[in-house]
Every structure is written in structure tokens, then in C-alpha cells.
């Protein structure tokens, strides 16, 4: 599953893991994506499965 939010478009952040000896390896921070059934469309009556981050769910941007 792609780690992108269908509402806000938030995606993974990239960087390095830095060990105690300061060796760096590539890593990524994925957003907390949940697959939810949301009401979408013009009237907001069509149920559809969306990949939504938890910050959008908490902010009430998704009509479940």
C-alpha cells in the first residue's frame, strides 16, 4: 500500500538513521495511514474506501 493520504496528500519523509558511531543508513518515516470507508461524491452519499492519515481523521476532514 502506498503511504500517501488521499485527503491531504501527506507522504513519507526521508532521512538517515544515525548510529552511535555516526554511520548513516537511509530510512523513511511513513505517515499513519488507515483504510477507512468514507462518504464521498457530490451528495456525500457514496461509500468509498480511502487511505487516510490519522491527523485527517482526528481533524474531522473525512465524513465516515
Amino acid at each position: 500500500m502506498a503511504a500517501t493520504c488521499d485527503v491531504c496528500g501527506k507522504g513519507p519523509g526521508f532521512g538517515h538513521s544515525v548510529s552511535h558511531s555516526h554511520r548513516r543508513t537511509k530510512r523513511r518515516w511513513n505517515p499513519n495511514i488507515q483504510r477507512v470507508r468514507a462518504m464521498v461524491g457530490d451528495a456525500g452519499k457514496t461509500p468509498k474506501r480511502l487511505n487516510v492519515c490519522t491527523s485527517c481523521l482526528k481533524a474531522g476532514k473525512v465524513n465516515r
Side-chain angles (χ1 to χ4, degrees):
M1 180 175 73
T4 55
C5 178
D6 291 335
V7 177
C8 66
K10 183 186 289 186
F14 297 92
H16 289 95
S17 280
V18 182
S19 69
H20 180 68
S21 62
H22 211 55
R23 290 186 62 112
R24 290 172 295 187
T25 55
K26 291 185 178 178
R27 64 156 296 183
R28 57 190 277 172
W29 287 266
N30 287 327
N32 192 356
I33 299 290
Q34 304 296 320
R35 193 164 169 86
V36 296
R37 238 173 116 238
M39 299 298 179
V40 295
D42 295 333
K45 294 182 179 179
T46 310
K48 190 175 178 184
R49 291 210 176 264
L50 296 174
N51 296 325
V52 182
C53 65
T54 53
S55 56
C56 286
L57 284 174
K58 190 173 181 180
K61 294 181 182 178
V62 179
N63 187 14
R64 294 179 86 173

